[in-house]
Amino acid sequence: MSLEMSHLTNKVEQWSEEKGLDQADSSKQFLKVTEEVGEVAAALARSDKDALKDGIGDVLVTLIILAQQNDMTIDECLETAYNEIKDRKGKLINGTFVKESDLQEG
């Protein structure tokens, strides 16, 4: 993760601590994540690049806090996900990547 991204992540975590969000109910935080994901969908539907940028940022903020609430860092979560996908094989179908194991099931 870039120095700038790491710095911003730290700032979000500090903000979360100042507001007490780091100790809040993570199921409520997940509701916030899904709300922000909905805003990303709306921005895509409207082809609104500014709203899309804001929405993606809001999703990242809510996920950073969700990880923090569960004694994880967003870096750890991203590394875990990357290690799972890095050697994945599959193909693009109608604009969506379908992993090889799902292709074999269908």
Side-chain angles (χ1 to χ4, degrees):
M1 193 168 285
S2 72
L3 181 57
E4 184 177 346
M5 183 73 171
S6 180
H7 177 70
L8 289 169
T9 298
N10 289 338
K11 288 177 80 162
V12 168
E13 289 170 340
Q14 286 177 330
W15 178 85
S16 170
E17 290 168 10
E18 290 167 7
K19 306 295 184 215
L21 289 169
D22 63 317
Q23 300 300 314
D25 181 353
S26 63
S27 64
K28 296 239 184 336
Q29 184 65 23
F30 184 69
L31 290 174
K32 193 68 178 162
V33 172
T34 59
E35 176 187 336
E36 300 299 350
V37 169
E39 290 181 15
V40 169
L44 286 169
R46 295 187 315 266
S47 297
D48 185 337
K49 289 268 191 184
D50 290 334
L52 179 60
K53 185 183 289 188
D54 180 64
I56 290 171
D58 288 346
V59 169
L60 285 170
V61 166
T62 58
L63 288 172
I64 289 165
I65 295 168
L66 181 62
Q68 181 187 37
Q69 289 172 338
N70 288 280
D71 299 319
M72 301 172 196
T73 68
I74 202 70
D75 292 340
E76 293 169 330
C77 297
L78 184 56
E79 183 176 4
T80 297
Y82 176 72
N83 285 335
E84 187 175 313
I85 68 164
K86 68 182 179 183
D87 297 320
R88 187 171 285 166
K89 294 181 179 16
K91 65 181 186 177
L92 203 60
I93 300 175
N94 296 324
T96 300
F97 183 81
V98 179
K99 61 184 175 179
E100 193 171 61
S101 61
D102 289 345
L103 290 170
Q104 295 169 355
E105 291 174 10

